[in-house]
Amino acid sequence: MKVTVAVNGTYYTREVEPRLLLSDFLRHELGLTGTHVGCEHGVCGACTVLVDGQAVRSCLTFAVQMDGAAVTTVEGLTPAEGELHPLQEAFREAHGLQCGFCTAGFLMTLVPYLAEHPNPSEAEIREALSGNICRCTGYQNIVKAVQLAAAKGGGR
Amino acid sequence: MKPAPFDYYAPATMGEVLALLREHGDAAKLLAGGQSLVPMLNMRLARPGVLIDLNRVAGLTGIRQEGDTLVIGAMTRHAEVERSELVARLQPLLTEAIAQVGHIQIRNRGTIGGSLVHADPSAELPAVLAALGGSVRVAGPAGVREVAAEDLFLMFFTTSLQPDEVLTEVRLPVLPARTGWAFEEVARRHGDFAIVGVAVTLTVADQRATKADDLVITGCRIALTGVGMTPVRAAAAEALLVGRPPSQAMLAEAAAAFRAEIEPDTDIHATADFRRHLAGVLTERALGRALQRAAERGGGR
Amino acid sequence: MSVDVRERRGEGAEAARSRGALIGQSPRRLEDARLLTGRGLFVDDVQRPDMLHAAVVRSPHAHARIQGIDVSAALALPGVVAVYTAADLGHLNGPFSVLIPHDDLQHGRGLSALAVEKVRHVGEAVALVVASDRYIAEDAADMVAVEYEPLPAAVGLEAAVAPDAPLVHDGVPSNVAGHYVRNVGDYEAVRRQAHLILKERFRVDRGAASPMETRGVVAIPEGRGLTMYVSTQAPVALRAWLAAWFDLPEMELRLIAPDVGGGFGPKVMMMYPEEVLVPFAAMRLKRPVKWIEDRREHFVATTHEREQVHDVEVVVGADGTLLGLKTNFLYDSGAYSPYGIQIPIISATTLPGPYRLRNYSVEFRAVYTNTPTVAVYRGAGRPHGVFVMERMMDRIAEALGLAPMEVRRRNFIQPDQFPWDTGLIYQDWAPCKYDSGDYPALADRLERMLVGVADEVAQARAAGRLVGVGMGFYVEGAGPGPYEGVRVRVEPSGKVQVATGVGTQGQSHFTTLAQVVAGELGVALDQVHVVTGDTAAMGWGIGTFASRAAVLVGNAAYLAAQAVAEKARTVAAALLECTPSEVELRGGRAWVGGPAGAGEPAGAGGSAPAGARETVRSLPLGEVARRANPLRGTLAFGEPGLEATKFFSPQQSTFPSGAHAAVVEVDRGTGFAKVLRYFVVHDCGTMINPMVVEGQIHGGVAQGLGGALLEKLVFDEEGQLLTTTFADYLLPLATDIPAIETDHITTTSPLNPLGIKGAGEAGVIPCHAVVAAALEDALREWQVRISEMPINPCRIWELMQR
């Protein structure tokens, strides 16, 4: 089936099998390998991307469903090569990542969350992050990174 | 973990959906938010030959009031329900419960109709529908019919909808005056399916004529998730409470009555005994909070 | 090129710190920009246009005889390129060697690539399908028809050693792979004079490391050989095994561990079946082949850890002195024993902890069961030993009416008693001899952190809440040999290349190794480029596990950087016409006589002509490197360039230590436990980067708390694993872990130049013990005994019913 989707502001038209997951479409059809796949059953959150601005699990969505949609991946966060989004900057500052595998999912969850909740409490941050699993950091420095980003203006 | 092959249709109208269902029968599966179905497809626990995507069907979304009824389109996302001021005002039990469904990413995609027809015995929304005595509208070859909550859920993952029918909207009574509500659940982790959950509404009336500063319970509805094949109404406990003045002891007695009524299952997270115990504890807690809210909402005036 | 450590012993961290100004600092990580922007390279990110994709057909039975395999339907599916069974692999199928043999491993059994005749656990690989994409490969895997004759399964430790238990391997009586008995002192003698004898049975159940990235293997035929990308913790060692296995010259097998999305132990195992199957298929088909494990496969195809049952007895003096301890335990090896009895040995040798245990009797049997193979997971047997000892410390305290901390203090090895020889041989075959530590200081620091906590708890309890405090101490053997090596090279651009054979899975090696080297060479941190886990860059190495990378690679980097600095000074001295000792390396340049003011001296740029030397006060380090590698003339300074390779081989392990405490609340109604606060005092010797060490601790504690309260692999009696998704096997979420409060003491190791002791596993080690103690304290009105981990709300509630 033919699907046309805007990913990070660029339109792509591809012929895909209906069963192709959005995560595989992004990674293997478009080569946008910054989105990672950790469980393929919608628990770990590593594959989170934005669909029309909302955080969504790309492993639970088919590429064909995205016809006409706007998808943003971690590659679309960075304004230009060598620059970091303020939230990425905060993650680096606070050591909010170790192996880096889950990180894109956390970032993509947090971008719309911080836009909606510019001053979250620690408990609210932890709840907002509860759909993303990190096995390295114990979450502590991720929470710190979110606080840092929020303090600097909501990470927008 | 990749799905087996299937044919995919994205119809734009309910008529097309019904035609596709008629054509493909049991081979077809409806795709709503996909947050429960797609994991099963990825694990190949479900292998439908045809997937009919409801996401582009017109007229299945939106939240509105119709007199004493709150009407929510089946394809309305959890996140929209959660954020809706209308829902918070007219039926805050749903607002409270829906925040417990999964996580942000799940709620952004999952739909209220999808949750109900999936009929997971540990899910939140079936218990809410049952507690509120709501109903759903179902479109089928013979037209539209309304199915009451008590007639909807048959057993684990099974509703009374026919294979050629589609749930189109969810109808919940608006919360009456002098009514409190509460949704309580315990899950192993935040956002997990409940081990046990309970949805409660409690209506009180002023009884000052006979006894000063006292209230009497005039209505009570309790439904639980995680303690049976379907959401379970606590009829004995409700009967025990209605017509009597509320007290902590009364609530405990009602919870105990309920505990005796149910026959939950054992799984890797909880034994039947533990579930029965939790049902009592959570019912008591939910009743307590509902009572407090009922009083705040003018029960004593 | 091996270095005799003894010459450098005692130099210690202070000297190292004063020279390497970056050691002990916490700069932002050099790897982050790449990882944060989605530009990392994980194994599934490797793409080739003509790549094929593999799926593994796995056993649905825990124990069954294979009667026949019919691959015809699968082969007929369009897009399927090949289906392989054991017969196709011939001698390449295995069985593979037991990696770590031991005299007490009487019946070691290695894995095979594909099952022959019998399957011994659910998920064991039976056939490999190769197709044009993974979707089709999975379709075809479903179509491979394997005829099984199910056999009764040996499941559960006690059941597997019962007289009538089914045998996992023919010829292994009672399913006992290994039997180990050690005695230090004379336990029976001291038992006869006992004031108090306490006994208990402890169980720690199964868990899975569950890195967020599953395993994956890519094999690409390139040139005459093969390039492999593998999400492994031991790339160089894996290459050596694979090259030998396939009888390839090592030059023709390049193996790269790219960015690896978490390891935690299970990614160490050299020669997982797929690590043989994928290159086999690639070589047969002469096309790139990729296999990425999916999450459900991961639960049955990647190694597990943790199940042990201990019967323990302690002998105690009237004053609370631990006079002796005896444990007899069973260890579940799963279906095979690739690492032999390493893990139970680690448990046995970790058990004594920070205490003067002079009479110790330990016996274990490693038992085969029809469950996935058990190997290492962060902590690797240490949490079990600590659980047993710390629980018994609490029992002694209770029996004698002493405070838990007081009993521990009465038994601590004292700071002047190092080195302390436990009398045991550790897993690295060297004496289990503690190098340094200060356990009373750990206790002091922990008590300081707990000031105010007792009041908080008392207030909460007065309000009817069930809140309790627990603590645990540990000593862990870390940083075992045999060696790691580092090559440091200054490039003409002035960039410094640091190559090491270990892989990296988030431990921040790109930054920490750069810190070590940058300090020695006087270059900016971002000029140092670390290469890890690429056999083409460094052909020697073992791997990243056992808290060893900072100890071994860190010190090797330090030694190599020193050698390069020495040569840089020699070359620069010749160019600047001074003596080497007058040359200072700073700011990416070699200086003599110090800089004139803050500005750059004239003529100091790239290629000053020989005649200008008198006016030149410094040279860029890249220029020095270039001069040491001329295009004409002869080599004036020994070997070309500024480069050195050094290896560090410690004579024994280091012994970091720590003390943890937790405040835990139990919901009186539901039995749900919540960790309210968590405290860590940690001693890992010199910290190259404290931020990184803290991150390791946070992650370790989270895994430990998960292991205590959430994570459990559950098998039914037929050996079916019931927990094969993240919805059933519960990893802790952000809402499950409190902010972890940390403090450090530093007793440096005398065993290596930098004084490092290792930090990777520390966080996880005492968590079981700490949580159990806190739960008992919270539930004191029921006088519960918590001797099993993990524990779930249902079990807590059951304990409260007594």
Side-chain angles (χ1 to χ4, degrees), chain A residues 19 21 24 27-28 33 36 38 41 74 88-89 92-93 97-99 101 126 135-137 139-140, chain C residues 28-29 36 44-45 47 135 139 208-209 212 295 377 505 695 698-699 703 711 726 732-734 737 740:
Chain A
R19 62 171 165 168
L21 297 169
D24 286 334
R27 291 178 47 75
H28 303 312
T33 54
H36 297 149
H41 54 269
V74 68
Q88 292 169 322
E89 192 63 64
R92 181 162 72 168
E93 191 67 38
L97 66 156
Q98 289 181 25
C99 80
F101 192 80
R126 287 182 181 273
R135 195 58 162 160
C136 289
T137 63
Y139 304 102
Q140 186 148 338
Chain C
R28 296 186 306 176
R29 298 201 317 169
L36 280 162
D44 191 29
D45 302 343
Q47 314 251 29
Y135 289 72
D139 296 344
M212 295 319 297
R295 184 55 64 179
Y377 165 31
Q505 310 94 42
H698 297 162
Q703 289 182 355
E711 301 176 34
F726 279 159
L733 308 176
I737 306 296
I740 297 151

Side-chain angles (χ1 to χ4, degrees), chain C residues 534-591:
Chain C
D534 179 350
T535 57
M538 181 67 177
W540 294 101
I542 307 293
T544 304
F545 52 86
S547 308
R548 67 192 293 280
V551 181
L552 297 175
V553 188
N555 279 292
Y558 175 66
L559 298 174
Q562 275 193 326
V564 170
E566 204 172 300
K567 182 160 184 196
R569 279 191 287 268
T570 303
V571 176
L575 301 174
L576 295 166
E577 294 175 343
C578 62
T579 63
S581 62
E582 289 173 301
V583 176
E584 193 189 350
L585 304 176
R586 180 163 43 81
R589 304 177 76 92
W591 297 85

Side-chain angles (χ1 to χ4, degrees), chain C residues 231-251:
Chain C
S231 64
T232 177
Q233 294 175 242
V236 176
L238 176 59
R239 193 271 298 265
W241 280 88
L242 282 175
W245 193 251
F246 286 106
D247 195 25
L248 290 171
E250 289 196 357
M251 278 299 288

Side-chain angles (χ1 to χ4, degrees), chain C residues 187-425:
Chain C
Y187 178 79
E188 293 305 327
V190 78
R191 191 180 193 280
R192 286 190 288 274
Q193 325 147 11
H195 170 78
L196 177 69
I197 295 175
L198 298 169
K199 296 183 188 189
E200 196 155 336
R201 168 171 270 219
F202 294 102
R203 177 187 298 271
V204 176
D205 225 318
R206 263 196 198 221
S210 305
M212 295 319 297
E213 180 205 39
T214 56
R215 292 186 299 118
V217 182
V218 169
I220 303 165
E222 272 176 338
R224 287 172 55 194
L226 202 63
T227 299
M228 290 180 66
Y229 291 83
V230 185
S231 64
T232 177
Q233 294 175 242
V236 176
L238 176 59
R239 193 271 298 265
W241 280 88
L242 282 175
W245 193 251
F246 286 106
D247 195 25
L248 290 171
E250 289 196 357
M251 278 299 288
E252 292 183 11
L253 180 57
R254 178 184 180 189
L255 196 144
I256 299 167
D259 289 316
V260 174
F264 314 119
K267 290 183 183 172
V268 180
M269 187 160 81
M270 276 87 78
M271 305 240 296
Y272 268 106
E274 301 84 359
E275 292 166 351
V276 170
L277 292 169
V278 173
F280 171 81
M283 285 189 278
R284 271 284 182 95
L285 301 168
K286 299 185 171 52
R287 301 225 350 227
V289 177
K290 176 189 278 189
W291 168 78
I292 302 297
E293 184 181 51
D294 70 36
R295 184 55 64 179
R296 277 202 309 176
E297 283 186 285
H298 182 83
F299 276 106
V300 290
T302 291
T303 56
H304 294 171
E305 209 228 314
R306 296 227 145 127
E307 194 166 0
Q308 290 186 15
V309 180
H310 286 248
D311 282 303
V312 189
E313 189 179 273
V314 290
V315 177
V316 187
D319 62 349
T321 307
L322 177 67
L323 299 174
L325 185 147
K326 178 179 181 174
T327 183
N328 188 339
F329 70 97
L330 296 175
Y331 159 78
D332 187 349
S333 183
Y336 299 94
S337 54
Y339 296 158
I341 50 172
Q342 284 290 292
I343 294 171
I345 288 176
I346 294 172
S347 300
T349 49
T350 302
L351 191 145
Y355 309 112
R356 296 184 308 271
L357 178 61
R358 275 299 167 229
N359 299 287
Y360 177 38
S361 170
V362 54
E363 173 174 2
F364 69 73
R365 281 172 292 164
V367 179
Y368 289 121
T369 59
N370 287 117
T371 59
T373 300
V374 171
V376 291
Y377 165 31
R378 198 177 204 166
R382 294 171 186 84
H384 308 72
V386 171
F387 184 58
V388 170
M389 177 56 102
E390 291 301 296
R391 294 278 57 213
M392 291 316 286
M393 280 288 154
D394 289 337
R395 297 289 179 258
I396 296 167
E398 185 192 41
L400 297 178
L402 293 168
M405 185 68 98
E406 180 56 28
V407 172
R408 289 169 167 88
R409 282 188 183 277
R410 288 182 190 185
N411 286 288
F412 280 147
I413 297 158
Q414 295 301 305
D416 61 1
Q417 291 181 298
F418 290 92
W420 173 268
D421 194 340
T422 62
L424 296 159
I425 297 297

Side-chain angles (χ1 to χ4, degrees), chain B residues 1-2 44 47 189 277 285, chain C residues 138-139 294 667 669 731:
Chain B
M1 280 176 60
K2 312 295 183 188
R44 301 193 176 210
R47 294 171 182 242
R189 300 171 303 182
H277 164 79
R285 285 182 185 175
Chain C
E138 289 191 21
D139 296 344
D294 70 36
D667 183 311
L731 300 183

Side-chain angles (χ1 to χ4, degrees), chain A residues 45-146:
Chain A
C47 68
T48 303
V49 299
L50 304 187
V51 173
D52 297 329
Q54 305 258 316
V56 157
R57 303 209 190 285
S58 62
C59 77
L60 297 188
T61 317
F62 296 109
V64 287
Q65 294 186 278
M66 293 297 106
D67 194 49
V71 175
T72 309
T73 68
V74 68
E75 288 92 343
L77 279 191
T78 313
E81 177 88 22
E83 287 182 43
L84 293 180
H85 182 280
L87 189 59
Q88 292 169 322
E89 192 63 64
F91 266 65
R92 181 162 72 168
E93 191 67 38
H95 188 30
L97 66 156
Q98 289 181 25
C99 80
F101 192 80
C102 70
T103 309
F106 275 87
L107 295 171
M108 301 319 285
T109 299
L110 284 163
V111 165
Y113 178 78
L114 283 174
E116 224 180 305
H117 307 86
N119 291 303
S121 68
E122 184 186 332
E124 287 166 343
I125 293 169
R126 287 182 181 273
E127 186 174 334
L129 296 178
S130 65
N132 292 79
I133 301 178
C134 171
R135 195 58 162 160
C136 289
T137 63
Y139 304 102
Q140 186 148 338
N141 287 341
I142 296 179
V143 173
K144 205 160 112 187
V146 181

